[in-house]
Amino acid sequence: MKIGYLGPEATFTDYAARQLFHEAERIPFVSIPECMDAASEGEIDAAIVPLENSIEGSVNLTVDYLVHETDLQIAGEAIVPIRQHLLVHEDNLENWRNAELICSHPHALAQCHKFLHKEFKGIPHEHMASTAAAAKFVKDHPERNIAAIANSLAAQEYEGLAMAQQNIHDYSYNHTVFAVLTRPEKALHLDKGEDFKTSLMITLPSDQAGALHQVLSAFSWRKLNLSKIESRPMKTGLGKYFFIIDINFKMDDVLIPGAIAELEALGCTVKMLGSYSSRKI
Ligand SMILES: O=C(O)C(=O)Cc1ccccc1
């Protein structure tokens, strides 16, 4: 089995992939869209990508690409604790406080905002495609006093890096949800998690007073508990949004199909994004 992930080696996504698929061939991709395209085109069996973070919220690139650009479905999710560290080239270890540039994935930089504000006020940040891409960049440029924010796996994998500061994330409860995405027809066996979820993308009929209220009541009177409701721009004009709704319930024959039929009768369009189990790793 071939599993694609946001690379290079030693990203948090790679860590999630290693935990979820012990035997699989893991293939790194330089960006989330490239990884998802490879899954859509059948080059890989599944794509693992970050979906949501407890500090920063949804990974919009993943959500938008999933909804607008692919027909992939969520086959499972894994919740991973995130610990961020400051990595420098070992030649610069003594001098890490004078680093002239801090690079990482935008979410990692945001998760360490207080630390960066305290230790590196006024020092520029450079956004990279992933934390491990930043770690590799620092490893490849020993002549520059620069630092990466990345995980301990990256500190081990990229020889020449040293951990200047450990656990620099601002909040101890820092978790990311990684999604396993597959083509709809692909049956993928994943170890069952503790919880089940069903995710829907819903667009409301335009200019109808109380439409969102009616949508929510379709779930409410069926006692379908929602764990997320989020709006994202349709990208077709200002003020046009769709909703992502997560139901804490596995797809069944009665309740969820009934709710979907009710929403469609209200004039909503509904797209199933997946019904899957959620695991903590
Ligand atoms: O960049 C990585 O390592 C990723 O896997 C994406 C990410 C970035 C920050 C927190 C969690 C996941």
Side-chain angles (χ1 to χ4, degrees):
M1 188 161 50
K2 288 184 176 174
I3 302 295
Y5 65 93
L6 170 66
E9 254 187 84
T11 56
F12 287 100
T13 316
D14 184 17
Y15 175 78
R18 293 180 197 209
Q19 301 298 312
L20 286 170
F21 298 96
H22 303 287
E23 310 280 288
E25 181 186 350
R26 287 178 296 108
I27 302 169
F29 286 85
V30 295
S31 71
I32 291 171
E34 281 182 44
C35 186
M36 287 166 72
D37 283 348
S40 299
E41 286 153 18
E43 215 181 285
I44 52 176
D45 297 292
I48 305 195
V49 289
L51 186 63
E52 184 180 340
N53 180 262
S54 55
I55 311 295
E56 277 299 280
S58 282
V59 181
N60 292 336
L61 182 58
T62 304
V63 174
D64 289 352
Y65 208 76
L66 180 63
V67 165
H68 294 295
E69 310 291 341
T70 77
D71 276 330
L72 294 175
Q73 292 216 332
I74 306 173
E77 70 172 28
I79 304 169
V80 178
I82 302 292
R83 292 191 178 81
Q84 303 286 10
H85 312 297
L86 189 78
L87 310 186
V88 294
H89 194 278
E90 59 196 5
D91 297 353
N92 296 317
L93 184 55
E94 301 290 292
N95 208 12
W96 67 269
R97 282 180 200 276
N98 294 320
E100 62 188 50
L101 181 74
I102 316 293
C103 27
S104 198
H105 185 279
H107 274 208
L109 289 160
Q111 288 161 16
C112 304
H113 176 78
K114 288 199 241 179
F115 170 83
L116 293 174
H117 185 67
K118 182 163 168 271
E119 298 287 349
F120 292 105
K121 209 174 281 173
I123 301 300
H125 302 163
E126 189 161 324
H127 288 180
M128 303 238 162
S130 68
T131 55
K136 187 170 180 310
F137 184 77
V138 169
K139 169 209 139 95
D140 291 341
H141 293 87
E143 74 290 355
R144 293 181 65 185
N145 189 3
I146 56 178
I149 296 177
N151 59 26
S152 54
L153 198 56
Q156 287 160 25
E157 295 268 335
Y158 297 104
E159 222 175 289
L161 289 184
M163 219 185 261
Q165 289 287 283
Q166 287 186 21
N167 295 322
I168 60 167
H169 44 283
D170 298 333
Y171 298 96
S172 55
Y173 190 87
N174 186 18
H175 286 65
T176 293
V177 179
F178 294 89
V180 179
L181 305 176
T182 57
R183 292 182 300 289
E185 71 279 7
K186 174 109 205 150
L188 190 73
H189 174 75
L190 284 167
D191 287 346
K192 290 280 172 284
E194 299 84 27
D195 298 311
F196 276 100
K197 278 191 191 170
T198 300
S199 297
L200 303 177
M201 177 231 181
I202 298 172
T203 54
L204 302 183
S206 55
D207 289 335
Q208 195 173 302
L212 181 59
H213 179 94
Q214 288 174 315
V215 165
L216 295 179
S217 68
F219 298 108
S220 156
W221 73 258
R222 288 179 175 84
K223 301 212 177 330
L224 290 169
N225 199 22
L226 306 185
S227 55
K228 175 159 91 178
I229 170 161
E230 182 178 2
S231 62
R232 289 287 307 146
M234 293 279 285
K235 301 187 195 274
T236 53
L238 275 175
K240 295 191 195 318
Y241 288 88
F242 65 85
F243 291 87
I244 304 271
I245 286 186
D246 284 356
I247 312 163
N248 273 4
F249 201 68
K250 192 180 175 178
M251 184 63 172
D252 64 337
D253 293 333
V254 180
L255 288 173
I256 296 182
I260 292 175
E262 190 175 323
L263 300 183
E264 287 172 342
L266 289 169
C268 298
T269 55
V270 183
K271 183 180 173 194
M272 169 65 74
L273 296 178
S275 189
Y276 52 91
S277 78
S278 175
R279 267 182 72 187
K280 294 189 179 70
I281 55 179

Short mmCIF file of all heavy atoms in Angstrom, two decimals, residues 6-7 10-14 32 50 53 59 82 84 104-109 111 128-133 151 174-176 178, ligand 1:
data_model
loop_
_atom_site.label_atom_id
_atom_site.label_comp_id
_atom_site.label_asym_id
_atom_site.label_seq_id
_atom_site.Cartn_x
_atom_site.Cartn_y
_atom_site.Cartn_z
N LEU A 6 2.28 15.01 3.60
CA LEU A 6 2.97 16.28 3.46
C LEU A 6 4.38 16.09 4.00
O LEU A 6 4.56 15.86 5.19
CB LEU A 6 2.22 17.38 4.25
CG LEU A 6 2.98 18.69 4.39
CD1 LEU A 6 3.15 19.39 3.05
CD2 LEU A 6 2.27 19.61 5.38
N GLY A 7 5.36 16.17 3.10
CA GLY A 7 6.73 15.89 3.47
C GLY A 7 7.50 17.17 3.73
O GLY A 7 6.90 18.22 3.93
N ALA A 10 9.80 13.44 8.37
CA ALA A 10 9.83 13.98 9.75
C ALA A 10 8.89 15.16 9.98
O ALA A 10 9.03 15.87 10.97
CB ALA A 10 11.25 14.34 10.21
N THR A 11 7.94 15.38 9.09
CA THR A 11 6.88 16.34 9.43
C THR A 11 5.99 15.69 10.50
O THR A 11 6.06 14.49 10.74
CB THR A 11 5.99 16.65 8.21
OG1 THR A 11 5.49 15.39 7.72
CG2 THR A 11 6.75 17.37 7.11
N PHE A 12 5.12 16.49 11.08
CA PHE A 12 4.12 15.93 11.99
C PHE A 12 3.21 14.98 11.21
O PHE A 12 2.74 13.97 11.75
CB PHE A 12 3.29 17.04 12.64
CG PHE A 12 4.06 17.81 13.68
CD1 PHE A 12 4.62 19.04 13.38
CD2 PHE A 12 4.22 17.29 14.96
CE1 PHE A 12 5.33 19.75 14.34
CE2 PHE A 12 4.93 17.99 15.93
CZ PHE A 12 5.49 19.23 15.61
N THR A 13 2.96 15.31 9.94
CA THR A 13 2.11 14.44 9.11
C THR A 13 2.79 13.10 8.90
O THR A 13 2.13 12.05 8.91
CB THR A 13 1.82 15.12 7.76
OG1 THR A 13 1.51 16.50 7.98
CG2 THR A 13 0.68 14.46 7.05
N ASP A 14 4.10 13.12 8.72
CA ASP A 14 4.87 11.88 8.59
C ASP A 14 4.73 11.06 9.87
O ASP A 14 4.51 9.84 9.83
CB ASP A 14 6.34 12.22 8.30
CG ASP A 14 7.18 10.97 8.06
OD1 ASP A 14 6.60 9.90 7.80
OD2 ASP A 14 8.42 11.07 8.13
N ILE A 32 0.36 20.11 0.25
CA ILE A 32 -0.90 19.41 0.52
C ILE A 32 -1.66 19.16 -0.79
O ILE A 32 -2.10 18.02 -1.04
CB ILE A 32 -1.73 20.22 1.56
CG1 ILE A 32 -1.04 20.17 2.92
CG2 ILE A 32 -3.17 19.72 1.63
CD1 ILE A 32 -1.62 21.10 3.98
N PRO A 50 -2.73 17.49 7.25
CA PRO A 50 -3.28 18.14 8.46
C PRO A 50 -4.63 18.78 8.14
O PRO A 50 -4.80 19.36 7.07
CB PRO A 50 -2.23 19.20 8.80
CG PRO A 50 -1.47 19.45 7.55
CD PRO A 50 -1.56 18.21 6.73
N ASN A 53 -6.22 22.29 13.76
CA ASN A 53 -5.34 22.42 14.91
C ASN A 53 -6.07 23.07 16.08
O ASN A 53 -6.91 23.94 15.86
CB ASN A 53 -4.11 23.25 14.49
CG ASN A 53 -3.16 23.42 15.63
OD1 ASN A 53 -3.17 24.44 16.30
ND2 ASN A 53 -2.37 22.42 15.90
N VAL A 59 -7.09 23.86 8.88
CA VAL A 59 -6.03 24.11 7.88
C VAL A 59 -6.80 24.42 6.59
O VAL A 59 -7.30 23.52 5.91
CB VAL A 59 -5.11 22.88 7.74
CG1 VAL A 59 -4.01 23.15 6.72
CG2 VAL A 59 -4.50 22.53 9.09
N ILE A 82 1.07 17.92 19.68
CA ILE A 82 2.12 18.63 18.92
C ILE A 82 3.06 19.32 19.90
O ILE A 82 2.63 20.17 20.69
CB ILE A 82 1.47 19.69 17.98
CG1 ILE A 82 0.48 19.05 17.00
CG2 ILE A 82 2.54 20.50 17.26
CD1 ILE A 82 1.07 18.14 15.96
N GLN A 84 6.54 21.58 19.84
CA GLN A 84 7.43 22.31 18.92
C GLN A 84 8.74 22.63 19.62
O GLN A 84 8.76 22.97 20.81
CB GLN A 84 6.76 23.64 18.49
CG GLN A 84 5.41 23.49 17.83
CD GLN A 84 5.50 22.97 16.39
OE1 GLN A 84 6.56 22.52 15.93
NE2 GLN A 84 4.39 23.01 15.67
N SER A 104 9.38 28.20 9.44
CA SER A 104 8.55 27.02 9.74
C SER A 104 7.24 27.10 8.97
O SER A 104 6.99 28.04 8.21
CB SER A 104 8.25 26.91 11.24
OG SER A 104 7.82 25.59 11.52
N HIS A 105 6.42 26.08 9.18
CA HIS A 105 5.05 26.10 8.67
C HIS A 105 4.30 27.22 9.40
O HIS A 105 4.53 27.42 10.60
CB HIS A 105 4.43 24.73 8.97
CG HIS A 105 3.07 24.54 8.40
ND1 HIS A 105 1.93 25.02 9.01
CD2 HIS A 105 2.65 23.91 7.28
CE1 HIS A 105 0.88 24.70 8.29
NE2 HIS A 105 1.28 24.02 7.24
N PRO A 106 3.41 27.94 8.71
CA PRO A 106 2.71 29.05 9.37
C PRO A 106 2.00 28.64 10.67
O PRO A 106 1.98 29.42 11.64
CB PRO A 106 1.69 29.54 8.33
CG PRO A 106 2.03 28.85 7.05
CD PRO A 106 3.09 27.83 7.29
N HIS A 107 1.45 27.46 10.73
CA HIS A 107 0.77 27.04 11.97
C HIS A 107 1.76 26.85 13.10
O HIS A 107 1.46 27.17 14.25
CB HIS A 107 -0.02 25.74 11.75
CG HIS A 107 -1.39 25.98 11.21
ND1 HIS A 107 -2.44 25.14 11.44
CD2 HIS A 107 -1.88 26.99 10.46
CE1 HIS A 107 -3.52 25.62 10.86
NE2 HIS A 107 -3.20 26.74 10.24
N ALA A 108 2.94 26.35 12.80
CA ALA A 108 3.95 26.15 13.84
C ALA A 108 4.42 27.50 14.37
O ALA A 108 4.57 27.69 15.58
CB ALA A 108 5.11 25.34 13.28
N LEU A 109 4.62 28.46 13.47
CA LEU A 109 5.03 29.81 13.91
C LEU A 109 3.94 30.41 14.80
O LEU A 109 4.24 30.99 15.85
CB LEU A 109 5.28 30.71 12.69
CG LEU A 109 6.55 30.36 11.89
CD1 LEU A 109 6.48 30.93 10.48
CD2 LEU A 109 7.81 30.88 12.60
N GLN A 111 1.80 28.81 16.62
CA GLN A 111 1.71 28.07 17.89
C GLN A 111 2.79 28.50 18.88
O GLN A 111 2.73 28.16 20.06
CB GLN A 111 1.83 26.56 17.63
CG GLN A 111 0.59 25.99 16.98
CD GLN A 111 0.84 24.65 16.31
OE1 GLN A 111 1.86 24.00 16.58
NE2 GLN A 111 -0.06 24.24 15.45
N MET A 128 7.33 28.21 5.45
CA MET A 128 7.75 27.09 4.60
C MET A 128 6.58 26.12 4.49
O MET A 128 5.63 26.18 5.27
CB MET A 128 8.96 26.40 5.21
CG MET A 128 10.13 27.34 5.42
SD MET A 128 11.59 26.81 4.56
CE MET A 128 12.55 28.30 4.53
N ALA A 129 6.69 25.19 3.54
CA ALA A 129 5.57 24.27 3.27
C ALA A 129 5.32 23.33 4.44
O ALA A 129 4.21 22.82 4.60
CB ALA A 129 5.85 23.48 2.00
N SER A 130 6.34 23.08 5.26
CA SER A 130 6.16 22.21 6.43
C SER A 130 7.27 22.50 7.44
O SER A 130 8.28 23.15 7.12
CB SER A 130 6.21 20.73 6.02
OG SER A 130 7.52 20.40 5.61
N THR A 131 7.10 21.97 8.64
CA THR A 131 8.13 22.15 9.68
C THR A 131 9.42 21.44 9.28
O THR A 131 10.51 21.95 9.49
CB THR A 131 7.64 21.59 11.03
OG1 THR A 131 7.25 20.23 10.85
CG2 THR A 131 6.47 22.39 11.57
N ALA A 132 9.27 20.24 8.67
CA ALA A 132 10.48 19.49 8.29
C ALA A 132 11.19 20.15 7.11
O ALA A 132 12.43 20.08 7.00
CB ALA A 132 10.11 18.04 7.96
N ALA A 133 10.42 20.81 6.21
CA ALA A 133 11.07 21.56 5.11
C ALA A 133 11.93 22.66 5.71
O ALA A 133 13.05 22.93 5.25
CB ALA A 133 10.00 22.13 4.17
N ASN A 151 9.71 19.39 14.94
CA ASN A 151 9.53 18.39 16.00
C ASN A 151 10.83 17.63 16.29
O ASN A 151 11.85 17.82 15.62
CB ASN A 151 8.39 17.43 15.63
CG ASN A 151 8.65 16.71 14.32
OD1 ASN A 151 9.80 16.52 13.95
ND2 ASN A 151 7.61 16.30 13.63
N ASN A 174 -1.87 21.36 22.72
CA ASN A 174 -1.67 21.69 21.30
C ASN A 174 -1.78 20.39 20.51
O ASN A 174 -0.87 19.56 20.57
CB ASN A 174 -0.29 22.35 21.14
CG ASN A 174 -0.05 22.87 19.74
OD1 ASN A 174 -0.99 23.04 18.96
ND2 ASN A 174 1.21 23.09 19.39
N HIS A 175 -2.90 20.20 19.86
CA HIS A 175 -3.13 18.96 19.11
C HIS A 175 -3.50 19.28 17.67
O HIS A 175 -4.13 20.31 17.41
CB HIS A 175 -4.27 18.15 19.74
CG HIS A 175 -3.89 17.48 21.02
ND1 HIS A 175 -3.55 18.18 22.15
CD2 HIS A 175 -3.79 16.17 21.34
CE1 HIS A 175 -3.25 17.33 23.12
NE2 HIS A 175 -3.39 16.10 22.65
N THR A 176 -3.13 18.38 16.77
CA THR A 176 -3.55 18.53 15.36
C THR A 176 -4.28 17.27 14.93
O THR A 176 -3.89 16.16 15.30
CB THR A 176 -2.33 18.83 14.45
OG1 THR A 176 -1.82 20.11 14.81
CG2 THR A 176 -2.71 18.85 12.97
N PHE A 178 -5.15 14.95 11.84
CA PHE A 178 -4.71 14.59 10.48
C PHE A 178 -5.79 13.73 9.84
O PHE A 178 -6.33 12.82 10.49
CB PHE A 178 -3.38 13.83 10.54
CG PHE A 178 -2.27 14.71 11.04
CD1 PHE A 178 -1.99 14.80 12.39
CD2 PHE A 178 -1.53 15.48 10.16
CE1 PHE A 178 -0.99 15.64 12.87
CE2 PHE A 178 -0.53 16.33 10.62
CZ PHE A 178 -0.27 16.40 11.97
O1 LIG B 1 4.62 20.99 8.90
C1 LIG B 1 4.37 19.88 9.41
O2 LIG B 1 5.17 19.21 10.07
C2 LIG B 1 3.02 19.36 9.25
O3 LIG B 1 2.82 18.18 9.26
C3 LIG B 1 1.91 20.38 9.24
C4 LIG B 1 1.74 20.87 10.63
C5 LIG B 1 2.30 22.06 11.01
C6 LIG B 1 2.16 22.50 12.33
C7 LIG B 1 1.49 21.73 13.24
C8 LIG B 1 0.94 20.54 12.85
C9 LIG B 1 1.06 20.10 11.55
#
